[in-house]
Amino acid sequence: ALYTKKKLEESPSRQDGISWERECDLRRRVAGLIQEAGMRLELPCQAICTAVHYFHRIFAKLSMAKIPLMLTAQTCLFLASKVEENSRRMRDILNVTYRLEHPEREPLQVTNEYWQMKEAVVRHEQLVLRVLEFNLTSRHPHHYVLHFLKDLQATEELATLSWSLLNDSYRSTLCLQHKPEAIACSAIYIAAEFINFQIQRDEEWWDKYSTNRLELEDVSMQILDLYDYPDSILCEGHLHGKSFEETMSAKHLYLDSKGAALPHVSPALAASSPRPRTTPELRAMPTPPPSSKRRRTEHKETTTNSNATAPADSKR
């Protein structure tokens, strides 16, 4: 079920003295940590987005003042990797997240601290499942954006930038507020405006993809608002000589069919999408050597045959 922005602003964290601005800041930071950990674990994009989606859903129902954020992030990664059938060892998840949380410390060793962290994740997984009501299904805009881009005859540059914008959109609660089709259309719209790509379609081309003008405007503005915070950028990059961190002044979204420029767009970096998982070249398996049992059987048969022919030779 989708949440309204007003309902999210009245989340349980508010009762414990955490402001909406502070909650959004914590969501951005932890979502970024989950994404970085997922890339280091070489998880596919869908598994990473599922983990972030679980995190946002949990704290729409629970207070951030009562539930450990890092423990929840670790549990969401562990659970999402299993749900998306790309499971990772608990030890790998704990090592990576520990390193990201404490970069100044030595790597996590198999000590009492490690076993306590592992036991905590196992116990916390039961709480996460109950909060999610055992509904582990997640729909992501990445699936839709590929079909939309193909239908719009988009260039590789537009596709890359749209994909990156979708990745960064998970640092907000957009995945809880809007359906994935609207988020995908908004990412395409912002990317097209930034690179001056003319979509050769009707005036309201997004209507074809179950998105109206109001949805497009709301989602686009929330995506753009992310880039007011430097910590929301995963790493640095450039596009057409324009820095992804450049500050834009205007805060107006133009939705006319002529494709008016959006001077305030500061898009996500192309490198923010997880690295593609390449399939290694298949090689022929070498023929295994005969086992010792097989060799003993062959030796026994040879001995029996030689013994059977020996009397015949002696008679001759």
Side-chain angles (χ1 to χ4, degrees):
L2 296 176
Y3 292 81
T4 63
K5 190 172 183 179
K6 182 178 179 181
K7 187 175 182 179
L8 289 173
E9 291 176 352
E10 298 172 352
S11 68
S13 298
R14 223 63 65 247
Q15 301 174 3
D16 293 319
I18 299 178
S19 65
W20 172 242
E21 292 74 17
R22 177 58 177 165
E23 180 177 339
C24 290
D25 180 63
L26 291 173
R27 286 180 183 271
R28 281 193 303 271
R29 294 177 182 276
V30 179
L33 185 143
I34 292 175
Q35 289 177 327
E36 180 65 24
M39 286 189 285
R40 295 193 183 191
L41 290 165
E42 296 187 353
L43 282 170
C45 181
Q46 183 167 339
I48 298 174
C49 292
T50 298
V52 179
H53 187 213
Y54 289 167
F55 180 84
H56 287 311
R57 286 175 59 190
I58 290 167
F59 288 106
K61 297 182 178 181
L62 300 179
S63 172
M64 288 186 168
K66 297 179 179 178
I67 306 298
L69 300 184
M70 179 54 63
L71 177 60
T72 305
Q74 293 168 335
T75 306
C76 289
L77 271 170
F78 182 58
L79 181 59
S81 68
K82 293 189 294 183
V83 170
E84 300 298 341
E85 298 182 354
N86 279 276
S87 59
R88 296 294 185 268
R89 295 189 309 169
M90 175 79 76
R91 181 174 179 179
D92 293 336
I93 293 175
L94 293 180
N95 281 336
V96 170
T97 53
Y98 183 86
R99 186 65 174 176
L100 291 174
E101 184 183 13
H102 306 290
E104 74 286 352
R105 298 184 186 178
E106 294 294 326
L108 183 64
Q109 303 297 324
V110 183
T111 59
N112 289 335
E113 182 183 11
Y114 165 78
W115 293 112
Q116 291 173 2
M117 291 172 62
K118 182 176 181 179
E119 182 64 25
V121 171
V122 173
R123 290 196 306 268
H124 199 61
E125 185 179 23
Q126 301 302 315
L127 172 63
V128 168
L129 288 171
R130 290 195 296 270
V131 173
L132 297 178
E133 298 177 352
F134 294 89
N135 179 10
L136 304 179
T137 304
S138 296
R139 294 171 61 232
H140 302 298
H142 299 71
H143 171 75
Y144 296 92
V145 78
L146 296 177
H147 295 286
F148 297 170
L149 289 167
K150 183 177 180 181
D151 185 52
L152 295 171
Q153 299 179 350
T155 61
E156 182 179 354
E157 183 181 28
L158 178 62
T160 301
L161 188 53
S162 300
W163 188 274
S164 300
L165 285 164
L166 290 182
N167 288 340
D168 281 358
S169 73
Y170 273 78
R171 300 202 177 191
S172 69
T173 56
L174 278 173
C175 57
L176 302 183
Q177 300 177 51
H178 294 276
K179 57 183 182 289
E181 296 92 334
I183 302 175
C185 286
S186 299
I188 295 174
Y189 177 78
I190 296 174
E193 294 291 349
F194 187 81
I195 65 175
N196 296 321
F197 179 85
Q198 298 296 326
I199 297 178
Q200 303 298 329
R201 289 302 174 99
D202 298 332
E203 181 177 351
E204 307 278 355
W205 59 265
W206 45 82
D207 285 339
K208 180 180 178 182
Y209 308 121
S210 305
T211 302
N212 59 50
R213 179 183 289 266
L214 293 178
E215 287 178 308
L216 188 76
E217 181 177 8
D218 184 38
V219 175
S220 298
M221 290 305 299
Q222 290 194 53
I223 291 177
L224 296 175
D225 286 341
L226 282 172
Y227 302 103
D228 290 336
Y229 305 91
D231 60 283
S232 65
I233 305 296
L234 290 177
C235 59
E236 295 182 356
H238 293 80
L239 180 68
H240 291 310
K242 300 180 181 179
S243 170
F244 288 157
E245 293 183 350
E246 65 182 339
T247 304
M248 303 299 185
S249 57
K251 281 292 182 181
H252 302 286
L253 187 66
Y254 300 97
L255 296 175
D256 58 349
S257 59
K258 297 180 181 179
L262 294 179
H264 64 292
V265 177
S266 178
L269 62 158
S272 64
S273 57
R275 296 182 298 275
R277 297 172 63 86
T278 57
T279 304
E281 182 181 358
L282 298 179
R283 293 175 294 179
M285 294 294 292
T287 304
S291 62
S292 57
K293 182 177 180 181
R294 182 179 176 183
R295 288 197 299 269
R296 288 196 301 269
T297 303
E298 292 177 349
H299 177 71
K300 184 177 180 180
E301 292 176 354
T302 305
T303 306
T304 304
N305 293 337
S306 61
N307 292 338
T309 56
D313 295 338
S314 60
K315 290 180 182 180
R316 290 177 186 175

